[in-house]
């Protein structure tokens, strides 16, 4: 693995490295870790990279690595730069034969995402989009449970992603995370909805298997002086008559990272909360509620997707980093299978890719369009 | 107390009687308990009413009781009939000098509610509208906490009221509750929003002290064959730039009576869930979350409104019936004070009345109007 | 109902009255509410008693009431005095033909309890011992569930009752409750174990159907200057090889009324917590955990004992007062059936009586004996 | 790092590798991964070890590695064999100049532990004992909170560790974990108390800062045919008049890994549950309860021990593997500091070592002795 962005002090780069390290299948071998050459070099050394593979810009890295013999060069590139700087390195990597891992949102604009998709299809290379929450075992279980029909026909989806960390104008107080995420030139046309609303929308579609078809959005800038939405709510219509709501906020003072989804079918419902991720609550119309637990002993009751994505027995809580690690692990397993020419397990292929990226960008566009419209409902277009 | 409606097998009548009995201050002395004379009589006997005060229609009851000497006749009338049959007995009672307790929604139409208000003002009599959830001690605490400014300026309100009991077409399966509540001729122009959405809206305005000014509603009939909405969601704008969402459903399979509210201010937030009502969760931007408990020993930390409305020490859970009982207790205390000509405590006067009824009817009207409109936002009018 | 003790400002008397009022089947008709005649009179008036039936001592009350015609006199006496003053009025009531409700512990000594039992048997009158926690619907469910064999053979019982209200020497600070409960001349030979340990022991035996046979107790006086144990723990052996622990404390700072029981069988286990009483958690060896809820719609899955003891549908929380009310309601139903000569339902007869009282007194004796012994195990004797 | 034991299919070896990998500071460079040479070799290859450093017995590994130049050889040995095979490799490693990581219990007997301690002191090398639960950030916070005096003088400690995985005679059904853990020749003189009771005892002493001085234990073999205790309870006396209980079971059907501790002081109390490890609940005598969260934004309210041991912001749950990783990370940081001759931070030195190992072995001895005694209390001796 080679990394672009994610130098010392970057939040998400460190997370990616832990996730990639976790299972001992992936090694960080090179990096262009910062646009600041000094930071890039210092960061590379702190990470024990070979001096010759500490790069100061990503073009050098991709081109130089491409010259190395196949068994020496990196197998894939991970891109953890701010949103506006995803597209160019991803394209260059693909053009030079490297598989790609990229943070969400996949690009800065939908058009870029579509170009990237074309390139992925053209090259036949693999792309992982790190929608972390899809890596949790009980999210996998939820998806399989809906798919199995146990809940009956799906009727309602409520998803919410509530944070409080932007309750103040932190972007003016030297908070680097806040600065770029609230800056339209770096983050894109939406703040809160782009940053976390997309996770919520992805989770809703991923678990329910239903696509959003229309939306009715209202976004807010709650904190004076902010340049992008920091809060919003969306009424949703999905395929097959399913309706729902999506709520996202970064000004909900006191909340941490409260992503929660509920899906209601004719016979029962499921509820999953990211802050207590090893539990999947099921409630039924005609029988007592059930509590499914990741890693539990009654493994025959859990789907193979849930068991494949857990490392420890029930009661040994796994968390955000393990979910993130699952994305990398499945990507690495699928990549190895491809390299070795063997058939992958279906569980390995269950990671977000370029199509999820396209929908994420479309979600941002459509939410922003709906917010600007006086019409109640806006069609979800790509 | 005399009761209109609420004969044997009626759900809410029995609840009212328990609530009224609880504190030993109110006695059921007469009733016109059913439109079916045989049921009215049997019900009256089961409740140990004096034979002479078992009536078979409410007009008789009101007129006959009005002839009794002041120390013998009922002090107030409780009306627990279906929605369409609230207005007439309420007016008659007021016209004959009786105070009134009435289930929500206060009337069948907003116009009736306004006439009732005029009559209340004209007569100077008292009216209690049984928005039960406003009777919980930790709801009282929540209101006082917002009022105190502890959370800072209010920014967001999320309220949801989710049930699953109408997940099937129960109105065709002999469920009496389901039958009248889903029948427009008995329930009014909205089903779910009228039945439980109004509770949610009341709670949001009661706790936050902010009135709804605009709404963007989408209602659904989820179960085929149903005549009124059984599900819906509303984006809300309140006074002073506060925004929010209101979600209500009666087809959320597996849910019981999941009323929950969250209010976010600049500094922190509160969360209250009806199904665990003795706890009020507070989360803060800059300090650890707190858990306030009804009846707790640190009574100096709770408002007098919370302590006045709890009967037992912390850890002895009080519930729905006690909350209901608090409405009756405060009404009775205020009524006694008025009769005796003494100054009531402010805590006694904190019960829902005709103005809350007006807003409830307006909420129904406005939600239905918004649902029918293609405009995103509909002004909240009365 | 006539009441002995429980004048204004008394805690438990007020609780009994609410519990008895709740279902509209029981009326307080007379009282000897305090040993202080002025208090007795004032309290009687506050409760709207007829002047002629406000008594200033219990002997007068019992003897005078006994002279009244059968349809006028009280049907039973409720005794809510401190522990040392239970026996005499209970005996006198029985001797004069009155049924009895008495707070726990039933008497001051085991010998008195045995005399009382003999009198109950001799007279054929009924006695209700208010072990409140046995009145909760989900405690009833737990008992029936164990009885059904669903958990398999019972192996382990953990019960704990943890409070914090005696964390300071409140008996010297004018706290009336604390004063008599920590005074050996009023409370008996044990403080914490007598007051709340007995509830825990009762609950364990009630739910599991297993009797304690041996115990290994260690009691503590944690707060300097206190005269009775305020904390303790007991290792337990029950019939049929079941083992367990009982923990009780009144100096667990921050706890309210944390009574909790867990019962483990070969196949699964149950957990019930008084502070969230409408939920019964079941965990299974080979399948997902389940959550049973009082009043739920899947009533065919709950025992008739649970449904009989709930007044409201699921999600309308019932609490301590309703549990208390259930004791009174069942006692009243059984008493009415007896008076009317009809067969009672089995659910009505499921209330604690004199045999539970005997075991409570024996528990206190045995715990105190074990605490004083250097032998590890003390046989549970009666 | 070199690893002894932990070949493919071993549970705890894989856990150690994830924990060591996590932060990118430790590399597995060699291993003697199984006593079965074929398994050792296959396992080594699966872990990408250099062929030359895949050993088939630990003596070879230690001796060969010791010959390598200092910058090539492993820095420390991790021993993850069954209990009876800890001592010999640990001694040999120390004698050859290697630092040691060892699973708990540190040895098979207390005498071995004492010899190991002497060797550690003689060589000045470092030893990490993997009491995982001491690695959680909120356990660190709990310890510091008690130390700060915020709770007041400690009075009570309740600790429990409840599992259900040995509810059946799994050791006869081919469960390898169950087999050695219930075999006295491999596990030692206690089963449940040695395996998990020691964790509970360690946690209690670690957080409270109080040492156990006397105990009153009762152990059980619940499942017929088992050779070691699978369940037990212990009444505890600690220094300074603190009392407590320790409950451990592996036959609590339905439980996963329910380790929980509560510590009560004069002013308030703390509660931590391993299954929801990012939360530390504080309850207070005179003020509302608080909820401390790992990684929270109010970092100035958390101790540096808590913040040092968290990798992610609040609401991104960390779990068992991260806690385990913290042990390795702190050990590696302290070891690096020592190698580089710099002063370690105090937070790095906060990992369990040989003294904790000694107390663990003594706990086992004392619990078994107390269980066999008819005396109520047994002194805790080393």
């Amino acid at each position: 693995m080679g990394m672009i962005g994610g130098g010392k002090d970057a939040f998400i780069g460190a997370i990616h490295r832990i996730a990639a390290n976790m299972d001992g299948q992936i090694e960080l071998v090179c990096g262009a870790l910062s646009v600041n050459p000094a930071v890039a070099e210092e960061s590379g050394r702190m990470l024990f990279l070979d001096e010759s593979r500490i790069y100061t810009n990503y073009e050098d890295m991709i081109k130089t690595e491409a010259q190395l013999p196949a068994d020496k060069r990196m197998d894939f590139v991970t891109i953890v730069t701010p949103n506006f700087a995803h597209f160019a390195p991803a394209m260059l990597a693909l053009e030079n034969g490297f598989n790609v891992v990229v943070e969400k949102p996949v690009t800065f604009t939908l058009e870029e995402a579509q170009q990237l998709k074309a390139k992925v299809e053209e090259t036949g290379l693999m792309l992982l989009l790190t929608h972390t929450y899809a890596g949790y075992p009980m999210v996998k279980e939820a998806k399989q449970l809906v798919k199995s029909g146990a809940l009956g026909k799906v009727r309602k989806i409520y998803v919410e992603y509530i944070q409080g960390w932007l309750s103040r104008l932190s972007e003016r107080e030297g908070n680097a995370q806040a600065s770029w995420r609230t800056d339209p030139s770096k983050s894109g046309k939406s703040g809160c909805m782009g940053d976390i609303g997309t996770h919520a929308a992805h989770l809703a579609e991923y678990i329910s298997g239903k696509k959003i078809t229309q939306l009715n959005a209202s976004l807010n800038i709650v904190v004076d002086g902010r340049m992008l939405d920091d809060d919003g709510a969306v009424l949703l219509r999905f395929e097959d008559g399913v309706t729902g709501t999506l709520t996202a906020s970064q000004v909900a003072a006191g909340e941490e990272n409260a992503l929660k989804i509920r899906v209601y079918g004719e016979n029962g419902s499921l509820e999953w909360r990211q802050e207590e991720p090893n539990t999947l609550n099921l409630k039924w119309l005609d029988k007592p509620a059930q509590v499914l637990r990741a890693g539990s002993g009654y493994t025959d009751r859990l789907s193979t997707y849930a068991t494949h994505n857990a490392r420890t027995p029930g009661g040994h809580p796994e968390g955000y980093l393990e979910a993130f690690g699952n994305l990398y692990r499945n990507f690495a397993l699928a990549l190895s299978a491809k390299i070795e020419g063997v058939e992958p397990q279906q569980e390995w292929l269950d990671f977000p890719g370029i199509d999820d990226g396209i929908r994420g960008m479309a979600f941002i566009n459509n939410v922003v369009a709906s917010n600007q419209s006086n019409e109640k409902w806006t069609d979800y277009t790509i």
Side-chain angles (χ1 to χ4, degrees), chain A:
Chain A
M1 173 170 96
M3 182 169 273
I4 298 172
K8 61 175 186 134
D9 302 338
F11 166 65
I12 204 69
I15 298 293
H16 276 255
R17 287 190 296 269
I18 293 173
N21 280 335
M22 187 170 283
D23 296 299
Q25 307 291 314
I26 296 168
E27 188 181 1
L28 180 68
V29 293
C30 62
L33 298 159
S34 174
V35 291
N36 177 326
V39 172
E41 287 173 9
E42 187 186 349
S43 301
R45 274 180 217 115
M46 286 169 64
L47 296 167
F48 308 112
L49 293 186
D50 194 289
E51 281 291 329
S52 69
R53 296 174 86 178
I54 301 176
Y55 300 93
T56 52
N57 69 67
Y58 74 84
E59 293 93 339
D60 278 1
M61 180 170 98
I62 290 172
K63 300 221 163 123
T64 308
E65 289 284 321
Q67 308 299 321
L68 295 178
D71 65 332
K72 293 289 182 193
R73 67 174 174 243
M74 61 182 180
D75 289 313
F76 65 90
V77 161
T78 288
I79 300 167
V80 290
T81 48
N83 304 353
F84 75 97
H86 288 179
F87 176 67
M91 284 298 276
L92 192 67
L94 291 169
E95 286 163 357
N96 282 275
F98 292 108
N99 300 285
V100 169
V101 176
V102 60
E103 252 302 318
K104 56 119 299 265
V106 66
T107 51
F108 197 64
T109 67
L110 176 57
E111 294 66 35
E112 290 174 353
Q114 284 163 329
Q115 289 180 52
L116 204 60
K117 178 172 176 172
K119 185 61 71 182
V120 167
E121 289 173 351
E122 176 196 323
T123 59
L125 291 162
M126 288 172 55
L127 184 145
L128 163 64
L129 181 73
T130 51
H131 270 302
T132 320
Y133 305 107
Y136 276 108
M138 297 323 271
V139 168
K140 305 280 188 196
E141 183 68 20
K143 179 185 178 66
Q144 297 302 320
L145 193 88
V146 170
K147 205 171 166 185
S148 76
L151 301 183
K153 185 181 171 312
V154 173
R155 289 171 162 181
K156 295 292 303 178
I157 302 170
Y158 300 134
V159 64
E160 56 186 52
Y161 197 155
I162 312 287
Q163 303 179 324
W165 70 289
L166 289 177
S167 290
R168 293 185 183 146
L169 198 63
S170 310
E171 57 268 48
R172 304 283 173 81
E173 296 164 2
N175 180 324
Q177 283 295 314
S179 289
W180 79 258
R181 286 181 199 261
T182 61
D183 178 350
S185 72
K186 296 199 173 128
S187 190
K189 64 170 74 165
S190 168
C192 173
M193 281 292 160
D195 191 14
I196 62 175
T198 47
H199 276 305
H202 181 262
L203 194 67
E205 294 193 344
Y206 177 74
I207 288 178
S208 71
K210 303 294 179 194
K211 301 291 187 206
I212 299 167
T213 58
Q214 285 191 305
L215 34 73
N216 170 354
S218 181
L219 309 188
N220 305 300
I221 294 179
V222 172
V223 174
D224 284 343
R226 183 154 289 155
M227 288 185 290
L228 287 171
D229 58 287
D230 50 19
D231 175 89
V234 195
L235 304 185
L236 298 170
R237 288 178 175 163
F238 295 82
E239 300 167 313
D240 299 329
V242 177
T243 60
T245 59
L246 183 154
T247 312
S249 186
Q250 298 182 309
V251 296
E255 297 291 355
E256 296 178 340
N257 197 43
L259 172 61
K260 169 176 160 179
I261 186 164
R262 289 172 283 181
V263 177
Y264 294 89
E266 289 175 328
N267 304 326
S269 53
L270 65 82
E271 177 178 324
W272 180 80
R273 295 197 318 109
Q274 192 269 153
E275 294 188 348
E276 220 179 301
N278 297 292
T279 295
L280 180 65
N281 288 299
L282 307 181
K283 295 179 182 172
W284 303 101
L285 200 52
D286 294 328
K287 57 185 182 182
Q290 289 178 302
V291 183
L292 296 185
R293 295 271 298 160
S296 65
Y298 44 86
T299 47
D300 56 322
R301 308 291 179 115
L302 294 181
S303 75
T304 57
Y305 288 82
T307 53
H308 169 69
N309 286 286
R311 291 164 186 78
T312 51
H316 299 75
E318 297 193 37
Y320 177 83
L321 295 169
E322 286 78 14
F324 219 125
N326 287 338
L327 299 187
Y328 269 99
R329 188 162 78 104
N330 288 328
F331 179 73
L333 286 166
L335 186 54
S336 296
K338 190 178 167 196
I339 290 169
E340 295 166 20
V342 302
E343 190 67 23
Q345 291 182 22
Q346 58 182 357
E347 293 84 358
W348 304 350
L349 299 175
D350 183 19
F351 58 81
I354 184 64
D355 287 330
D356 302 273
I358 299 274
R359 285 198 72 80
M361 298 313 296
F363 175 78
I364 293 171
N365 278 5
N366 288 309
V367 158
V368 170
S370 172
N371 180 54
Q372 288 164 349
S373 168
N374 290 325
E375 290 284 307
K376 190 177 267 179
W377 291 101
T378 295
D379 286 340
Y380 185 105
T381 57
I382 293 188

